[in-house]
Amino acid sequence: MAKQSAVLSTILLILIQALLFTNLNKLRANDDEILARINGEKITMSELKGLAKQMSKNISRKEDRKNFLNRAVEDRLIAPKAREIGLHNDPDIRKELKTIREWQLLFSLEDRIKEQIAEQIAEQIAGKDFIPEYGRQKVRFGEIVVQSRQEAEEILRDLLKGANFEKLARERSINIYSKNGGDIGFVIMGKGTFLEEVENIIFKLANGRISQILKTREGYGIFKAVERKDFTQKEREEQIAALKKKLRREKKNERMDNLRSQTKITIFSDNIKKIQQMQKVNNDDLLHMELVNVNGTILRLENLLRAASHSSLNRLKSHDFHNPGVLEDMIKPNIEHILKVNEAVRIGLDNDPKLKKHLKICEDSMLAVKYVREVLLKEVTCSDEEVKKFYEEYKDGPEYKNMPRYVHARHLIVDDEDLTREILKQLKDGGDFTEMAQKYSMGGKKHGLPAGDFGYIKRGDWVRMTEIEKDALFSLSTGEVKMIEMVFPKGDYVLYSIVKAEDKINSGSNGYNEIKGLVKYKLLKKKREEKKADFIAQLRSEADIKIHLL
């Protein structure tokens, strides 16, 4: 009986494992599976994954996929309404779609190049001379490293006269192996232990022989080949993997060199010098100044700043640009970006139906957000009578009876200290926070709220602010504003935020006049949610929707 039970348990375990394996592979294998149809237009698993990746959403769980699919369906229903009133021509949306298109082209090109390089490397590995004969064993080396060539020449003369290598290494070598008499152990060629030009010389040394003086990463070195051994299987695999990696890098660099050689690239050196002397020109001149022309594609300073995620475009007063290397370091990857995008277009990757579908889905998502925020919910208001009625209805409920401490939070963030101080001065002089956030802030809007408005928050609420900013908000008086400097890890990047306590509610408050602002905020939120839900329900009732979620 016990034996039968054990057998049944084993069978059950196998069945469970098979089921789990089947479900896991179903998710992986069904990228082309149709999840939904909206008026005959399908949404596949791969399209949903692409949109989720674009929006940094995790949809690995079924419930997450279901919620995200519902959002995608709603976006598909709302987007035509946005197009009817021309929102698809909005410059910000066109700019964002252009960026998405370029990055998708780059990803596609990278995938294409990886496949081609993999084929080339496979052919190379199959050849007899993939690894030279002198690199087919691991070699144990001794090394003496000094800082000057003159000292290295003195040591080499002593060695050639018969001086003991290990003794000289202990006495004069500056690297960590000196205490071991210069013994660095066994080295496998191709793994990057030494510079390639050094490896090509020292691996040819016969056992017991010493090298000439060689320039190394640490200084000037003299090497001695001590002994050789055959590789273990694992070491052989590691060597091949390292050499493959090196070949991939070389072939990618070779392709970039070919693209550069076939492209007319004009660098406007005079304009770069003007930016490095930025106090002589105004910000607008700098932003729109042409730096590079890549086959007709113009690269301006604003493009560099946007590519570096400095979306406020106000680092122009930074002393970074006085350093001649800073602009060159920013320009080089942007030139490569343009070259790769142009190459992707040249070979027809922009005609890929999957790319066009992905851009359409992304556009639908952006249009839906814009339509809901700027059209559907823009005119939602509530009168004082409605607010009073809402208060009377809910004032005895647990949320209002045990009132926590609230602050109506305003927040904007920029990356230029002088600009931040100027904004702070204008706000203190009565400037409009929404207008300032709309114009300068690197952050976006919350759905249905003006730019820079986080609504009413309490301790413990998750919002896109640091704890330092939250602490500052709760310490401010009503209407007070404060500037905060935020230094990021390693101190290599600084952002500046301004927070404002638009309104404050003390814990335990329950009187109408004390919490009127919060009551109005919650009523507006409720009315917006209801209006959006009614709008979606109406669109759904008019559409032919079929859901087939995995």
Side-chain angles (χ1 to χ4, degrees), residues 41-73:
E41 192 175 354
K42 64 185 180 180
I43 297 179
T44 65
M45 175 64 88
S46 63
E47 291 164 358
L48 196 72
K49 284 180 179 178
L51 182 61
K53 184 178 179 181
Q54 191 73 49
M55 300 175 69
S56 303
K57 299 288 185 182
N58 183 354
I59 59 169
S60 57
R61 296 189 310 126
K62 185 172 182 178
E63 189 63 27
D64 295 329
R65 287 196 300 280
K66 181 180 176 182
N67 293 335
F68 197 69
L69 178 61
N70 277 329
R71 174 178 172 171
V73 169

PDB file of all heavy atoms in Angstrom, residues 41-73:
ATOM      1  N   GLU A  41      -9.636  44.738 -35.391  1.00  0.00           N
ATOM      2  CA  GLU A  41      -8.193  44.971 -35.290  1.00  0.00           C
ATOM      3  C   GLU A  41      -7.659  44.199 -34.089  1.00  0.00           C
ATOM      4  O   GLU A  41      -8.158  44.330 -32.973  1.00  0.00           O
ATOM      5  CB  GLU A  41      -7.909  46.464 -35.129  1.00  0.00           C
ATOM      6  CG  GLU A  41      -6.446  46.824 -35.317  1.00  0.00           C
ATOM      7  CD  GLU A  41      -6.210  48.329 -35.273  1.00  0.00           C
ATOM      8  OE1 GLU A  41      -7.207  49.078 -35.216  1.00  0.00           O
ATOM      9  OE2 GLU A  41      -5.048  48.746 -35.269  1.00  0.00           O
ATOM     10  N   LYS A  42      -6.610  43.416 -34.305  1.00  0.00           N
ATOM     11  CA  LYS A  42      -6.137  42.515 -33.252  1.00  0.00           C
ATOM     12  C   LYS A  42      -5.026  43.134 -32.401  1.00  0.00           C
ATOM     13  O   LYS A  42      -4.313  44.046 -32.821  1.00  0.00           O
ATOM     14  CB  LYS A  42      -5.629  41.212 -33.865  1.00  0.00           C
ATOM     15  CG  LYS A  42      -4.407  41.387 -34.757  1.00  0.00           C
ATOM     16  CD  LYS A  42      -4.028  40.071 -35.434  1.00  0.00           C
ATOM     17  CE  LYS A  42      -2.794  40.283 -36.326  1.00  0.00           C
ATOM     18  NZ  LYS A  42      -2.398  39.040 -37.003  1.00  0.00           N
ATOM     19  N   ILE A  43      -4.922  42.614 -31.173  1.00  0.00           N
ATOM     20  CA  ILE A  43      -3.787  42.898 -30.290  1.00  0.00           C
ATOM     21  C   ILE A  43      -3.169  41.552 -29.942  1.00  0.00           C
ATOM     22  O   ILE A  43      -3.838  40.681 -29.390  1.00  0.00           O
ATOM     23  CB  ILE A  43      -4.220  43.609 -28.995  1.00  0.00           C
ATOM     24  CG1 ILE A  43      -4.827  44.978 -29.294  1.00  0.00           C
ATOM     25  CG2 ILE A  43      -3.016  43.773 -28.057  1.00  0.00           C
ATOM     26  CD1 ILE A  43      -5.308  45.722 -28.048  1.00  0.00           C
ATOM     27  N   THR A  44      -1.895  41.360 -30.285  1.00  0.00           N
ATOM     28  CA  THR A  44      -1.215  40.094 -30.013  1.00  0.00           C
ATOM     29  C   THR A  44      -0.382  40.208 -28.734  1.00  0.00           C
ATOM     30  O   THR A  44      -0.136  41.299 -28.230  1.00  0.00           O
ATOM     31  CB  THR A  44      -0.287  39.707 -31.172  1.00  0.00           C
ATOM     32  OG1 THR A  44       0.768  40.678 -31.272  1.00  0.00           O
ATOM     33  CG2 THR A  44      -1.053  39.643 -32.484  1.00  0.00           C
ATOM     34  N   MET A  45       0.061  39.043 -28.259  1.00  0.00           N
ATOM     35  CA  MET A  45       0.896  39.015 -27.062  1.00  0.00           C
ATOM     36  C   MET A  45       2.190  39.806 -27.282  1.00  0.00           C
ATOM     37  O   MET A  45       2.629  40.553 -26.408  1.00  0.00           O
ATOM     38  CB  MET A  45       1.223  37.561 -26.697  1.00  0.00           C
ATOM     39  CG  MET A  45       2.187  37.422 -25.524  1.00  0.00           C
ATOM     40  SD  MET A  45       1.517  38.071 -23.986  1.00  0.00           S
ATOM     41  CE  MET A  45       0.662  36.608 -23.397  1.00  0.00           C
ATOM     42  N   SER A  46       2.814  39.658 -28.460  1.00  0.00           N
ATOM     43  CA  SER A  46       4.069  40.375 -28.714  1.00  0.00           C
ATOM     44  C   SER A  46       3.843  41.879 -28.722  1.00  0.00           C
ATOM     45  O   SER A  46       4.686  42.650 -28.244  1.00  0.00           O
ATOM     46  CB  SER A  46       4.689  39.925 -30.049  1.00  0.00           C
ATOM     47  OG  SER A  46       3.844  40.251 -31.128  1.00  0.00           O
ATOM     48  N   GLU A  47       2.705  42.329 -29.239  1.00  0.00           N
ATOM     49  CA  GLU A  47       2.394  43.761 -29.253  1.00  0.00           C
ATOM     50  C   GLU A  47       2.176  44.277 -27.835  1.00  0.00           C
ATOM     51  O   GLU A  47       2.627  45.369 -27.482  1.00  0.00           O
ATOM     52  CB  GLU A  47       1.151  44.015 -30.109  1.00  0.00           C
ATOM     53  CG  GLU A  47       1.390  43.785 -31.591  1.00  0.00           C
ATOM     54  CD  GLU A  47       0.110  43.658 -32.394  1.00  0.00           C
ATOM     55  OE1 GLU A  47      -0.985  43.707 -31.793  1.00  0.00           O
ATOM     56  OE2 GLU A  47       0.200  43.495 -33.619  1.00  0.00           O
ATOM     57  N   LEU A  48       1.490  43.476 -27.026  1.00  0.00           N
ATOM     58  CA  LEU A  48       1.274  43.885 -25.637  1.00  0.00           C
ATOM     59  C   LEU A  48       2.598  43.935 -24.873  1.00  0.00           C
ATOM     60  O   LEU A  48       2.836  44.861 -24.096  1.00  0.00           O
ATOM     61  CB  LEU A  48       0.313  42.902 -24.949  1.00  0.00           C
ATOM     62  CG  LEU A  48      -0.296  43.411 -23.635  1.00  0.00           C
ATOM     63  CD1 LEU A  48      -1.323  44.499 -23.910  1.00  0.00           C
ATOM     64  CD2 LEU A  48      -0.931  42.276 -22.847  1.00  0.00           C
ATOM     65  N   LYS A  49       3.456  42.944 -25.112  1.00  0.00           N
ATOM     66  CA  LYS A  49       4.775  42.935 -24.466  1.00  0.00           C
ATOM     67  C   LYS A  49       5.592  44.157 -24.881  1.00  0.00           C
ATOM     68  O   LYS A  49       6.283  44.773 -24.066  1.00  0.00           O
ATOM     69  CB  LYS A  49       5.541  41.664 -24.839  1.00  0.00           C
ATOM     70  CG  LYS A  49       5.079  40.415 -24.124  1.00  0.00           C
ATOM     71  CD  LYS A  49       5.927  39.232 -24.583  1.00  0.00           C
ATOM     72  CE  LYS A  49       5.539  37.942 -23.891  1.00  0.00           C
ATOM     73  NZ  LYS A  49       6.344  36.794 -24.376  1.00  0.00           N
ATOM     74  N   GLY A  50       5.521  44.498 -26.179  1.00  0.00           N
ATOM     75  CA  GLY A  50       6.276  45.659 -26.675  1.00  0.00           C
ATOM     76  C   GLY A  50       5.831  46.944 -26.014  1.00  0.00           C
ATOM     77  O   GLY A  50       6.656  47.772 -25.616  1.00  0.00           O
ATOM     78  N   LEU A  51       4.506  47.115 -25.878  1.00  0.00           N
ATOM     79  CA  LEU A  51       3.985  48.315 -25.226  1.00  0.00           C
ATOM     80  C   LEU A  51       4.360  48.330 -23.756  1.00  0.00           C
ATOM     81  O   LEU A  51       4.743  49.378 -23.204  1.00  0.00           O
ATOM     82  CB  LEU A  51       2.463  48.370 -25.386  1.00  0.00           C
ATOM     83  CG  LEU A  51       1.770  49.599 -24.794  1.00  0.00           C
ATOM     84  CD1 LEU A  51       2.261  50.875 -25.460  1.00  0.00           C
ATOM     85  CD2 LEU A  51       0.254  49.478 -24.909  1.00  0.00           C
ATOM     86  N   ALA A  52       4.278  47.172 -23.092  1.00  0.00           N
ATOM     87  CA  ALA A  52       4.635  47.083 -21.670  1.00  0.00           C
ATOM     88  C   ALA A  52       6.105  47.430 -21.462  1.00  0.00           C
ATOM     89  O   ALA A  52       6.456  48.153 -20.520  1.00  0.00           O
ATOM     90  CB  ALA A  52       4.345  45.683 -21.147  1.00  0.00           C
ATOM     91  N   LYS A  53       6.960  46.942 -22.352  1.00  0.00           N
ATOM     92  CA  LYS A  53       8.387  47.255 -22.252  1.00  0.00           C
ATOM     93  C   LYS A  53       8.628  48.746 -22.459  1.00  0.00           C
ATOM     94  O   LYS A  53       9.423  49.367 -21.741  1.00  0.00           O
ATOM     95  CB  LYS A  53       9.168  46.450 -23.301  1.00  0.00           C
ATOM     96  CG  LYS A  53      10.670  46.632 -23.219  1.00  0.00           C
ATOM     97  CD  LYS A  53      11.370  45.758 -24.252  1.00  0.00           C
ATOM     98  CE  LYS A  53      12.889  45.970 -24.180  1.00  0.00           C
ATOM     99  NZ  LYS A  53      13.587  45.138 -25.196  1.00  0.00           N
ATOM    100  N   GLN A  54       7.921  49.326 -23.420  1.00  0.00           N
ATOM    101  CA  GLN A  54       8.046  50.755 -23.690  1.00  0.00           C
ATOM    102  C   GLN A  54       7.662  51.588 -22.467  1.00  0.00           C
ATOM    103  O   GLN A  54       8.235  52.634 -22.187  1.00  0.00           O
ATOM    104  CB  GLN A  54       7.148  51.135 -24.871  1.00  0.00           C
ATOM    105  CG  GLN A  54       7.381  52.528 -25.430  1.00  0.00           C
ATOM    106  CD  GLN A  54       8.681  52.595 -26.202  1.00  0.00           C
ATOM    107  OE1 GLN A  54       8.954  51.760 -27.047  1.00  0.00           O
ATOM    108  NE2 GLN A  54       9.491  53.584 -25.900  1.00  0.00           N
ATOM    109  N   MET A  55       6.674  51.099 -21.708  1.00  0.00           N
ATOM    110  CA  MET A  55       6.147  51.830 -20.559  1.00  0.00           C
ATOM    111  C   MET A  55       6.703  51.315 -19.234  1.00  0.00           C
ATOM    112  O   MET A  55       6.253  51.714 -18.159  1.00  0.00           O
ATOM    113  CB  MET A  55       4.619  51.748 -20.549  1.00  0.00           C
ATOM    114  CG  MET A  55       3.981  52.343 -21.785  1.00  0.00           C
ATOM    115  SD  MET A  55       2.191  52.100 -21.834  1.00  0.00           S
ATOM    116  CE  MET A  55       1.683  53.171 -20.493  1.00  0.00           C
ATOM    117  N   SER A  56       7.706  50.399 -19.312  1.00  0.00           N
ATOM    118  CA  SER A  56       8.350  49.829 -18.115  1.00  0.00           C
ATOM    119  C   SER A  56       7.339  49.164 -17.185  1.00  0.00           C
ATOM    120  O   SER A  56       7.379  49.354 -15.968  1.00  0.00           O
ATOM    121  CB  SER A  56       9.141  50.909 -17.360  1.00  0.00           C
ATOM    122  OG  SER A  56      10.097  51.496 -18.190  1.00  0.00           O
ATOM    123  N   LYS A  57       6.423  48.400 -17.776  1.00  0.00           N
ATOM    124  CA  LYS A  57       5.418  47.684 -16.996  1.00  0.00           C
ATOM    125  C   LYS A  57       5.733  46.188 -16.987  1.00  0.00           C
ATOM    126  O   LYS A  57       6.146  45.619 -17.994  1.00  0.00           O
ATOM    127  CB  LYS A  57       4.009  47.891 -17.580  1.00  0.00           C
ATOM    128  CG  LYS A  57       3.535  49.337 -17.599  1.00  0.00           C
ATOM    129  CD  LYS A  57       3.197  49.835 -16.215  1.00  0.00           C
ATOM    130  CE  LYS A  57       2.607  51.240 -16.275  1.00  0.00           C
ATOM    131  NZ  LYS A  57       2.308  51.766 -14.922  1.00  0.00           N
ATOM    132  N   ASN A  58       5.520  45.561 -15.833  1.00  0.00           N
ATOM    133  CA  ASN A  58       5.732  44.122 -15.694  1.00  0.00           C
ATOM    134  C   ASN A  58       4.393  43.405 -15.885  1.00  0.00           C
ATOM    135  O   ASN A  58       3.453  43.637 -15.122  1.00  0.00           O
ATOM    136  CB  ASN A  58       6.306  43.820 -14.311  1.00  0.00           C
ATOM    137  CG  ASN A  58       6.621  42.341 -14.120  1.00  0.00           C
ATOM    138  OD1 ASN A  58       6.313  41.518 -14.977  1.00  0.00           O
ATOM    139  ND2 ASN A  58       7.237  42.001 -13.011  1.00  0.00           N
ATOM    140  N   ILE A  59       4.308  42.554 -16.905  1.00  0.00           N
ATOM    141  CA  ILE A  59       3.045  41.844 -17.153  1.00  0.00           C
ATOM    142  C   ILE A  59       3.264  40.332 -17.111  1.00  0.00           C
ATOM    143  O   ILE A  59       2.607  39.581 -17.825  1.00  0.00           O
ATOM    144  CB  ILE A  59       2.407  42.264 -18.494  1.00  0.00           C
ATOM    145  CG1 ILE A  59       3.366  41.990 -19.677  1.00  0.00           C
ATOM    146  CG2 ILE A  59       1.980  43.717 -18.466  1.00  0.00           C
ATOM    147  CD1 ILE A  59       2.700  42.132 -21.026  1.00  0.00           C
ATOM    148  N   SER A  60       4.195  39.893 -16.272  1.00  0.00           N
ATOM    149  CA  SER A  60       4.477  38.459 -16.191  1.00  0.00           C
ATOM    150  C   SER A  60       3.320  37.700 -15.549  1.00  0.00           C
ATOM    151  O   SER A  60       3.076  36.538 -15.883  1.00  0.00           O
ATOM    152  CB  SER A  60       5.769  38.213 -15.410  1.00  0.00           C
ATOM    153  OG  SER A  60       5.686  38.791 -14.113  1.00  0.00           O
ATOM    154  N   ARG A  61       2.602  38.328 -14.608  1.00  0.00           N
ATOM    155  CA  ARG A  61       1.457  37.664 -13.978  1.00  0.00           C
ATOM    156  C   ARG A  61       0.196  37.845 -14.820  1.00  0.00           C
ATOM    157  O   ARG A  61       0.006  38.885 -15.459  1.00  0.00           O
ATOM    158  CB  ARG A  61       1.219  38.225 -12.563  1.00  0.00           C
ATOM    159  CG  ARG A  61       2.370  37.954 -11.606  1.00  0.00           C
ATOM    160  CD  ARG A  61       2.013  38.328 -10.172  1.00  0.00           C
ATOM    161  NE  ARG A  61       1.446  39.674 -10.089  1.00  0.00           N
ATOM    162  CZ  ARG A  61       0.283  39.953  -9.524  1.00  0.00           C
ATOM    163  NH1 ARG A  61      -0.457  38.990  -9.019  1.00  0.00           N
ATOM    164  NH2 ARG A  61      -0.150  41.202  -9.460  1.00  0.00           N
ATOM    165  N   LYS A  62      -0.675  36.843 -14.783  1.00  0.00           N
ATOM    166  CA  LYS A  62      -1.881  36.881 -15.598  1.00  0.00           C
ATOM    167  C   LYS A  62      -2.747  38.085 -15.256  1.00  0.00           C
ATOM    168  O   LYS A  62      -3.307  38.742 -16.145  1.00  0.00           O
ATOM    169  CB  LYS A  62      -2.681  35.585 -15.420  1.00  0.00           C
ATOM    170  CG  LYS A  62      -3.901  35.506 -16.333  1.00  0.00           C
ATOM    171  CD  LYS A  62      -4.560  34.143 -16.282  1.00  0.00           C
ATOM    172  CE  LYS A  62      -5.747  34.096 -17.241  1.00  0.00           C
ATOM    173  NZ  LYS A  62      -6.385  32.767 -17.261  1.00  0.00           N
ATOM    174  N   GLU A  63      -2.874  38.393 -13.954  1.00  0.00           N
ATOM    175  CA  GLU A  63      -3.707  39.517 -13.538  1.00  0.00           C
ATOM    176  C   GLU A  63      -3.163  40.834 -14.082  1.00  0.00           C
ATOM    177  O   GLU A  63      -3.917  41.712 -14.519  1.00  0.00           O
ATOM    178  CB  GLU A  63      -3.779  39.565 -12.005  1.00  0.00           C
ATOM    179  CG  GLU A  63      -4.790  40.554 -11.448  1.00  0.00           C
ATOM    180  CD  GLU A  63      -6.224  40.224 -11.847  1.00  0.00           C
ATOM    181  OE1 GLU A  63      -6.531  39.035 -12.098  1.00  0.00           O
ATOM    182  OE2 GLU A  63      -7.038  41.161 -11.930  1.00  0.00           O
ATOM    183  N   ASP A  64      -1.823  40.963 -14.095  1.00  0.00           N
ATOM    184  CA  ASP A  64      -1.196  42.169 -14.640  1.00  0.00           C
ATOM    185  C   ASP A  64      -1.450  42.278 -16.140  1.00  0.00           C
ATOM    186  O   ASP A  64      -1.710  43.371 -16.661  1.00  0.00           O
ATOM    187  CB  ASP A  64       0.313  42.160 -14.368  1.00  0.00           C
ATOM    188  CG  ASP A  64       0.632  42.234 -12.888  1.00  0.00           C
ATOM    189  OD1 ASP A  64      -0.156  42.855 -12.151  1.00  0.00           O
ATOM    190  OD2 ASP A  64       1.653  41.659 -12.472  1.00  0.00           O
ATOM    191  N   ARG A  65      -1.370  41.135 -16.840  1.00  0.00           N
ATOM    192  CA  ARG A  65      -1.626  41.140 -18.285  1.00  0.00           C
ATOM    193  C   ARG A  65      -3.061  41.544 -18.574  1.00  0.00           C
ATOM    194  O   ARG A  65      -3.343  42.302 -19.489  1.00  0.00           O
ATOM    195  CB  ARG A  65      -1.338  39.762 -18.891  1.00  0.00           C
ATOM    196  CG  ARG A  65       0.118  39.424 -18.987  1.00  0.00           C
ATOM    197  CD  ARG A  65       0.364  38.250 -19.930  1.00  0.00           C
ATOM    198  NE  ARG A  65      -0.318  37.044 -19.520  1.00  0.00           N
ATOM    199  CZ  ARG A  65       0.113  36.226 -18.568  1.00  0.00           C
ATOM    200  NH1 ARG A  65       1.218  36.517 -17.909  1.00  0.00           N
ATOM    201  NH2 ARG A  65      -0.561  35.124 -18.270  1.00  0.00           N
ATOM    202  N   LYS A  66      -3.969  41.024 -17.746  1.00  0.00           N
ATOM    203  CA  LYS A  66      -5.383  41.328 -17.939  1.00  0.00           C
ATOM    204  C   LYS A  66      -5.642  42.825 -17.775  1.00  0.00           C
ATOM    205  O   LYS A  66      -6.307  43.458 -18.612  1.00  0.00           O
ATOM    206  CB  LYS A  66      -6.215  40.545 -16.922  1.00  0.00           C
ATOM    207  CG  LYS A  66      -7.713  40.772 -17.034  1.00  0.00           C
ATOM    208  CD  LYS A  66      -8.463  39.960 -15.985  1.00  0.00           C
ATOM    209  CE  LYS A  66      -9.956  40.263 -16.043  1.00  0.00           C
ATOM    210  NZ  LYS A  66     -10.709  39.520 -15.003  1.00  0.00           N
ATOM    211  N   ASN A  67      -5.090  43.421 -16.713  1.00  0.00           N
ATOM    212  CA  ASN A  67      -5.279  44.856 -16.471  1.00  0.00           C
ATOM    213  C   ASN A  67      -4.642  45.698 -17.575  1.00  0.00           C
ATOM    214  O   ASN A  67      -5.214  46.695 -18.036  1.00  0.00           O
ATOM    215  CB  ASN A  67      -4.690  45.246 -15.112  1.00  0.00           C
ATOM    216  CG  ASN A  67      -5.454  44.641 -13.949  1.00  0.00           C
ATOM    217  OD1 ASN A  67      -6.642  44.329 -14.089  1.00  0.00           O
ATOM    218  ND2 ASN A  67      -4.796  44.455 -12.817  1.00  0.00           N
ATOM    219  N   PHE A  68      -3.435  45.285 -17.996  1.00  0.00           N
ATOM    220  CA  PHE A  68      -2.735  46.059 -19.015  1.00  0.00           C
ATOM    221  C   PHE A  68      -3.428  45.927 -20.368  1.00  0.00           C
ATOM    222  O   PHE A  68      -3.478  46.890 -21.145  1.00  0.00           O
ATOM    223  CB  PHE A  68      -1.277  45.610 -19.106  1.00  0.00           C
ATOM    224  CG  PHE A  68      -0.394  46.582 -19.821  1.00  0.00           C
ATOM    225  CD1 PHE A  68      -0.083  47.813 -19.261  1.00  0.00           C
ATOM    226  CD2 PHE A  68       0.113  46.287 -21.076  1.00  0.00           C
ATOM    227  CE1 PHE A  68       0.723  48.718 -19.922  1.00  0.00           C
ATOM    228  CE2 PHE A  68       0.922  47.185 -21.742  1.00  0.00           C
ATOM    229  CZ  PHE A  68       1.226  48.414 -21.159  1.00  0.00           C
ATOM    230  N   LEU A  69      -3.968  44.736 -20.645  1.00  0.00           N
ATOM    231  CA  LEU A  69      -4.702  44.539 -21.891  1.00  0.00           C
ATOM    232  C   LEU A  69      -5.957  45.415 -21.902  1.00  0.00           C
ATOM    233  O   LEU A  69      -6.290  46.016 -22.934  1.00  0.00           O
ATOM    234  CB  LEU A  69      -5.090  43.069 -22.061  1.00  0.00           C
ATOM    235  CG  LEU A  69      -5.911  42.735 -23.314  1.00  0.00           C
ATOM    236  CD1 LEU A  69      -5.139  43.087 -24.584  1.00  0.00           C
ATOM    237  CD2 LEU A  69      -6.312  41.263 -23.328  1.00  0.00           C
ATOM    238  N   ASN A  70      -6.653  45.483 -20.778  1.00  0.00           N
ATOM    239  CA  ASN A  70      -7.832  46.354 -20.695  1.00  0.00           C
ATOM    240  C   ASN A  70      -7.465  47.800 -20.991  1.00  0.00           C
ATOM    241  O   ASN A  70      -8.197  48.513 -21.676  1.00  0.00           O
ATOM    242  CB  ASN A  70      -8.469  46.252 -19.308  1.00  0.00           C
ATOM    243  CG  ASN A  70      -9.391  45.057 -19.195  1.00  0.00           C
ATOM    244  OD1 ASN A  70     -10.003  44.649 -20.175  1.00  0.00           O
ATOM    245  ND2 ASN A  70      -9.471  44.475 -18.018  1.00  0.00           N
ATOM    246  N   ARG A  71      -6.295  48.218 -20.478  1.00  0.00           N
ATOM    247  CA  ARG A  71      -5.849  49.577 -20.751  1.00  0.00           C
ATOM    248  C   ARG A  71      -5.563  49.761 -22.242  1.00  0.00           C
ATOM    249  O   ARG A  71      -5.926  50.784 -22.832  1.00  0.00           O
ATOM    250  CB  ARG A  71      -4.588  49.898 -19.943  1.00  0.00           C
ATOM    251  CG  ARG A  71      -4.021  51.243 -20.330  1.00  0.00           C
ATOM    252  CD  ARG A  71      -2.822  51.665 -19.565  1.00  0.00           C
ATOM    253  NE  ARG A  71      -2.290  52.872 -20.170  1.00  0.00           N
ATOM    254  CZ  ARG A  71      -1.333  53.605 -19.641  1.00  0.00           C
ATOM    255  NH1 ARG A  71      -0.821  53.287 -18.483  1.00  0.00           N
ATOM    256  NH2 ARG A  71      -0.889  54.681 -20.268  1.00  0.00           N
ATOM    257  N   ALA A  72      -4.903  48.755 -22.843  1.00  0.00           N
ATOM    258  CA  ALA A  72      -4.596  48.842 -24.278  1.00  0.00           C
ATOM    259  C   ALA A  72      -5.878  48.907 -25.101  1.00  0.00           C
ATOM    260  O   ALA A  72      -5.948  49.630 -26.108  1.00  0.00           O
ATOM    261  CB  ALA A  72      -3.737  47.647 -24.702  1.00  0.00           C
ATOM    262  N   VAL A  73      -6.888  48.138 -24.704  1.00  0.00           N
ATOM    263  CA  VAL A  73      -8.180  48.166 -25.405  1.00  0.00           C
ATOM    264  C   VAL A  73      -8.813  49.549 -25.286  1.00  0.00           C
ATOM    265  O   VAL A  73      -9.314  50.119 -26.271  1.00  0.00           O
ATOM    266  CB  VAL A  73      -9.133  47.087 -24.832  1.00  0.00           C
ATOM    267  CG1 VAL A  73     -10.551  47.283 -25.353  1.00  0.00           C
ATOM    268  CG2 VAL A  73      -8.623  45.688 -25.188  1.00  0.00           C
TER     269      VAL A  73
END
